[in-house]
Amino acid sequence: AQRVTQPEKLLSVFKGAPVELKCNYSYSGSPELFWYVQYSRQRLQLLLRHISRESIKGFTADLNKGETSFHLKKPFAQEEDSAMYYCALSLNYGGATNKLIFGTGTLLAVQP
Amino acid sequence: KAGVTQTPRYLIKTRGQQVTLSCSPISGHRSVSWYQQTPGQGLQFLFEYFSETQRNKGNFPGRFSGRQFSNSRSEMNVSTLELGDSALYLCASSPGTSGGYTGELFFGEGSRLTVL
Protein backbone atom coordinates (compact mmCIF):
# COMPACT_ATOMS: atom_id res chain seq x y z
CA ALA A 1 0.00 0.00 0.00
CA GLN A 2 1.11 3.52 -0.71
CA ARG A 3 2.00 5.49 2.37
CA VAL A 4 3.85 8.66 3.37
CA THR A 5 5.28 8.95 6.86
CA GLN A 6 6.37 12.13 8.57
CA PRO A 7 7.57 11.01 12.00
CA GLU A 8 7.71 14.42 13.66
CA LYS A 9 4.52 16.34 14.44
CA LEU A 10 6.50 19.33 15.66
CA LEU A 11 10.02 20.51 14.99
CA SER A 12 11.25 23.51 16.93
CA VAL A 13 14.56 25.15 16.03
CA PHE A 14 16.25 28.49 16.60
CA LYS A 15 16.75 31.04 13.87
CA GLY A 16 19.94 30.29 11.96
CA ALA A 17 19.95 26.60 12.88
CA PRO A 18 19.79 23.87 10.21
CA VAL A 19 16.45 22.26 9.52
CA GLU A 20 15.63 18.74 8.36
CA LEU A 21 12.03 17.63 8.01
CA LYS A 22 11.83 13.88 7.55
CA CYS A 23 9.66 12.08 5.02
CA ASN A 24 9.62 8.38 4.17
CA TYR A 25 7.41 6.76 1.60
CA SER A 26 6.16 3.32 0.65
CA TYR A 27 5.38 2.78 -3.01
CA SER A 28 6.12 -0.06 -5.41
CA GLY A 29 6.17 2.12 -8.50
CA SER A 30 8.42 4.98 -9.55
CA PRO A 31 7.76 7.69 -6.95
CA GLU A 32 6.94 11.27 -7.67
CA LEU A 33 7.30 13.34 -4.52
CA PHE A 34 6.44 16.83 -3.43
CA TRP A 35 6.65 19.11 -0.43
CA TYR A 36 3.64 21.33 0.20
CA VAL A 37 3.60 24.13 2.77
CA GLN A 38 0.85 25.96 4.60
CA TYR A 39 1.76 29.26 6.22
CA SER A 40 -0.51 30.72 8.89
CA ARG A 41 -3.84 31.82 7.38
CA GLN A 42 -2.74 30.91 3.86
CA ARG A 43 -3.65 28.17 1.45
CA LEU A 44 -1.78 24.95 1.05
CA GLN A 45 0.77 25.51 -1.71
CA LEU A 46 3.53 23.66 -3.48
CA LEU A 47 7.02 24.27 -2.13
CA LEU A 48 9.05 21.98 -4.34
CA ARG A 49 8.94 18.78 -6.36
CA HIS A 50 11.69 16.18 -6.57
CA ILE A 51 11.69 16.03 -10.34
CA SER A 52 12.69 19.69 -10.59
CA ARG A 53 15.73 19.30 -8.34
CA GLU A 54 15.40 22.99 -7.46
CA SER A 55 15.95 25.06 -4.35
CA ILE A 56 12.98 27.12 -3.22
CA LYS A 57 13.33 29.66 -0.39
CA GLY A 58 16.60 27.94 0.48
CA PHE A 59 14.95 24.54 0.88
CA THR A 60 16.14 21.44 -0.97
CA ALA A 61 15.00 17.84 -0.96
CA ASP A 62 16.72 14.82 -2.44
CA LEU A 63 14.96 11.63 -3.33
CA ASN A 64 16.78 8.62 -1.89
CA LYS A 65 15.21 5.53 -3.43
CA GLY A 66 17.39 3.17 -1.40
CA GLU A 67 16.13 4.61 1.88
CA THR A 68 12.72 5.53 0.41
CA SER A 69 13.13 9.02 1.81
CA PHE A 70 12.57 12.57 0.66
CA HIS A 71 13.76 14.74 3.52
CA LEU A 72 13.44 18.53 3.31
CA LYS A 73 16.48 20.53 4.33
CA LYS A 74 17.52 24.11 4.85
CA PRO A 75 20.92 25.12 6.20
CA PHE A 76 19.81 28.23 8.10
CA ALA A 77 16.22 28.54 9.33
CA GLN A 78 14.39 31.86 9.23
CA GLU A 79 11.41 32.90 11.34
CA GLU A 80 9.30 33.19 8.19
CA ASP A 81 9.84 29.47 7.57
CA SER A 82 7.48 28.69 10.44
CA ALA A 83 4.63 26.74 8.85
CA MET A 84 3.06 23.33 8.42
CA TYR A 85 4.95 21.15 5.95
CA TYR A 86 3.42 18.18 4.15
CA CYS A 87 5.25 15.57 2.16
CA ALA A 88 3.17 14.09 -0.67
CA LEU A 89 3.42 11.15 -3.05
CA SER A 90 1.77 11.32 -6.44
CA LEU A 91 0.04 8.30 -7.90
CA ASN A 92 0.39 9.60 -11.40
CA TYR A 93 -1.25 7.12 -13.70
CA GLY A 94 -0.61 7.96 -17.32
CA GLY A 95 1.03 11.24 -16.58
CA ALA A 96 -2.02 13.36 -16.00
CA THR A 97 -4.00 12.39 -12.97
CA ASN A 98 -3.67 14.11 -9.64
CA LYS A 99 -4.06 11.76 -6.70
CA LEU A 100 -1.75 12.74 -3.88
CA ILE A 101 -1.06 10.73 -0.76
CA PHE A 102 -0.12 13.16 1.99
CA GLY A 103 1.84 12.62 5.14
CA THR A 104 0.38 13.87 8.40
CA GLY A 105 2.52 16.98 8.34
CA THR A 106 5.23 18.53 10.48
CA LEU A 107 4.80 21.88 12.15
CA LEU A 108 8.06 23.80 11.94
CA ALA A 109 8.46 26.48 14.59
CA VAL A 110 11.48 28.75 14.22
CA GLN A 111 12.27 30.58 17.43
CA PRO A 112 13.95 34.01 17.37
CA LYS B 1 -5.89 34.69 -12.45
CA ALA B 2 -8.36 34.20 -9.66
CA GLY B 3 -7.55 31.30 -7.36
CA VAL B 4 -9.63 28.28 -6.49
CA THR B 5 -12.85 29.38 -4.83
CA GLN B 6 -14.82 27.23 -2.43
CA THR B 7 -18.26 27.91 -0.99
CA PRO B 8 -19.50 27.96 1.64
CA ARG B 9 -16.50 28.61 3.85
CA TYR B 10 -18.22 27.43 7.02
CA LEU B 11 -21.31 25.42 7.70
CA ILE B 12 -22.96 23.56 10.53
CA LYS B 13 -25.21 20.56 10.01
CA THR B 14 -26.79 17.93 12.20
CA ARG B 15 -26.42 14.18 11.95
CA GLY B 16 -28.47 12.63 9.19
CA GLN B 17 -28.59 15.75 7.05
CA GLN B 18 -26.82 16.12 3.73
CA VAL B 19 -24.49 18.81 2.50
CA THR B 20 -23.28 20.11 -0.85
CA LEU B 21 -19.98 21.93 -1.24
CA SER B 22 -18.95 23.87 -4.31
CA CYS B 23 -15.60 24.51 -5.97
CA SER B 24 -14.67 26.81 -8.84
CA PRO B 25 -11.25 25.95 -10.27
CA ILE B 26 -8.70 28.30 -11.74
CA SER B 27 -9.74 29.36 -15.22
CA GLY B 28 -8.53 26.85 -17.77
CA HIS B 29 -8.02 24.05 -15.26
CA ARG B 30 -10.02 20.96 -16.09
CA SER B 31 -9.09 18.74 -13.17
CA VAL B 32 -10.68 19.18 -9.76
CA SER B 33 -9.72 17.05 -6.77
CA TRP B 34 -11.27 16.93 -3.33
CA TYR B 35 -9.52 16.18 -0.04
CA GLN B 36 -10.76 15.77 3.50
CA GLN B 37 -8.55 17.20 6.24
CA THR B 38 -8.99 16.17 9.88
CA PRO B 39 -6.65 16.42 12.87
CA GLY B 40 -6.57 12.65 13.26
CA GLN B 41 -6.27 11.46 9.67
CA GLY B 42 -4.64 14.44 8.00
CA LEU B 43 -5.29 15.05 4.32
CA GLN B 44 -7.11 12.22 2.57
CA PHE B 45 -7.97 12.02 -1.12
CA LEU B 46 -11.68 11.81 -1.87
CA PHE B 47 -11.93 11.91 -5.67
CA GLU B 48 -10.79 13.64 -8.83
CA TYR B 49 -12.87 14.84 -11.74
CA PHE B 50 -11.69 15.65 -15.23
CA SER B 51 -13.92 16.71 -18.09
CA GLU B 52 -17.06 15.84 -16.12
CA THR B 53 -15.83 12.28 -15.41
CA GLN B 54 -14.58 10.84 -12.17
CA ARG B 55 -11.00 9.83 -12.89
CA ASN B 56 -9.89 8.65 -9.44
CA LYS B 57 -11.59 7.74 -6.20
CA GLY B 58 -10.31 7.40 -2.65
CA ASN B 59 -11.42 5.01 0.05
CA PHE B 60 -14.53 6.75 1.29
CA PRO B 61 -18.04 5.32 1.65
CA GLY B 62 -20.67 5.87 -1.00
CA ARG B 63 -22.19 8.66 1.08
CA PHE B 64 -19.48 10.84 -0.42
CA SER B 65 -20.11 11.74 -4.03
CA GLY B 66 -19.22 14.43 -6.47
CA ARG B 67 -19.75 15.75 -9.92
CA GLN B 68 -18.24 18.17 -12.36
CA PHE B 69 -19.99 20.48 -14.74
CA SER B 70 -19.08 21.46 -18.29
CA ASN B 71 -17.47 24.68 -17.03
CA SER B 72 -15.20 22.54 -14.77
CA ARG B 73 -16.90 23.71 -11.58
CA SER B 74 -17.35 20.85 -9.17
CA GLU B 75 -19.60 19.95 -6.29
CA MET B 76 -19.27 17.29 -3.66
CA ASN B 77 -22.12 15.91 -1.63
CA VAL B 78 -22.16 14.07 1.64
CA SER B 79 -25.41 12.36 2.57
CA THR B 80 -26.57 11.06 5.93
CA LEU B 81 -23.97 13.07 7.80
CA GLU B 82 -22.12 11.50 10.71
CA LEU B 83 -20.20 13.22 13.49
CA GLY B 84 -16.96 11.91 11.98
CA ASP B 85 -17.60 13.85 8.78
CA SER B 86 -16.68 17.05 10.59
CA ALA B 87 -13.62 18.25 8.70
CA LEU B 88 -12.10 20.81 6.40
CA TYR B 89 -12.88 19.88 2.81
CA LEU B 90 -10.29 21.14 0.37
CA CYS B 91 -10.66 21.46 -3.36
CA ALA B 92 -7.67 21.60 -5.67
CA SER B 93 -7.41 22.25 -9.36
CA SER B 94 -4.83 21.63 -12.05
CA PRO B 95 -4.69 21.63 -15.85
CA GLY B 96 -5.32 17.88 -15.75
CA THR B 97 -3.80 17.02 -19.11
CA SER B 98 -0.58 15.19 -19.87
CA GLY B 99 0.75 18.20 -21.71
CA GLY B 100 -0.09 20.51 -18.88
CA TYR B 101 1.04 18.18 -16.12
CA THR B 102 3.44 19.55 -13.54
CA GLY B 103 2.12 17.68 -10.56
CA GLU B 104 1.22 20.95 -8.85
CA LEU B 105 -2.18 21.27 -7.28
CA PHE B 106 -3.70 24.66 -6.53
CA PHE B 107 -5.77 24.54 -3.39
CA GLY B 108 -8.74 26.52 -2.23
CA GLU B 109 -9.20 27.81 1.31
CA GLY B 110 -11.57 24.98 2.13
CA SER B 111 -15.08 24.51 3.46
CA ARG B 112 -15.19 23.77 7.16
CA LEU B 113 -18.04 21.43 7.99
CA THR B 114 -19.17 20.86 11.55
CA VAL B 115 -21.65 18.06 12.21
CA LEU B 116 -23.56 18.24 15.49
Side-chain angles (χ1 to χ4, degrees), chain A residues 88-107:
Chain A
L89 169 68
S90 173
L91 305 184
N92 182 17
Y93 309 114
T97 81
N98 295 296
K99 178 178 179 178
L100 293 182
I101 306 297
F102 282 90
T104 49
T106 298
L107 179 62

Side-chain angles (χ1 to χ4, degrees), chain B residues 3-87:
Chain B
V4 176
T5 304
Q6 292 188 244
T7 57
R9 291 291 315 282
Y10 303 91
L11 65 168
I12 300 174
K13 294 285 188 178
T14 56
R15 279 182 300 174
Q17 287 187 310
Q18 73 162 11
V19 67
T20 299
L21 309 177
S22 180
C23 173
S24 293
I26 290 172
S27 178
H29 284 187
R30 294 164 60 190
S31 167
V32 173
S33 305
W34 290 88
Y35 290 81
Q36 181 195 64
Q37 186 175 28
T38 59
Q41 300 295 320
L43 280 151
Q44 292 187 285
F45 175 80
L46 280 156
F47 27 64
E48 179 199 7
Y49 286 87
F50 177 77
S51 290
E52 301 177 66
T53 300
Q54 188 180 85
R55 187 156 69 172
N56 270 307
K57 190 177 190 307
N59 296 322
F60 279 82
R63 299 186 296 107
F64 292 81
S65 63
R67 59 178 176 168
Q68 187 179 34
F69 302 95
S70 58
N71 61 358
S72 294
R73 190 177 69 85
S74 176
E75 289 181 346
M76 68 163 283
N77 183 276
V78 188
S79 63
T80 320
L81 284 166
E82 300 177 0
L83 296 179
D85 297 333
S86 294

Side-chain angles (χ1 to χ4, degrees), chain A residues 11-112:
Chain A
L11 182 63
S12 183
V13 301
F14 287 102
K15 177 182 172 182
V19 171
E20 183 179 47
L21 300 171
K22 291 184 167 49
C23 171
N24 288 90
Y25 66 91
S26 172
Y27 183 47
S28 58
S30 183
E32 188 171 4
L33 288 149
F34 304 85
W35 278 98
Y36 276 78
V37 61
Q38 188 165 28
Y39 301 102
S40 179
R41 288 187 284 277
Q42 293 189 29
R43 303 171 187 222
L44 190 60
Q45 59 187 281
L46 178 68
L47 179 63
L48 54 80
R49 68 203 87 183
H50 94 269
I51 200 166
S52 301
R53 302 183 66 82
E54 57 198 346
S55 173
I56 302 292
K57 298 184 179 182
F59 285 98
T60 59
D62 290 319
L63 176 61
N64 185 322
K65 291 186 179 180
E67 296 183 357
T68 61
S69 68
F70 187 56
H71 303 327
L72 184 67
K73 300 178 183 179
K74 184 170 183 177
F76 308 103
Q78 303 298 315
E79 289 181 66
E80 55 265 31
D81 296 329
S82 296
M84 193 73 171
Y85 291 81
Y86 294 93
C87 183
L89 169 68
S90 173
L91 305 184
N92 182 17
Y93 309 114
T97 81
N98 295 296
K99 178 178 179 178
L100 293 182
I101 306 297
F102 282 90
T104 49
T106 298
L107 179 62
L108 175 64
V110 181
Q111 311 295 334

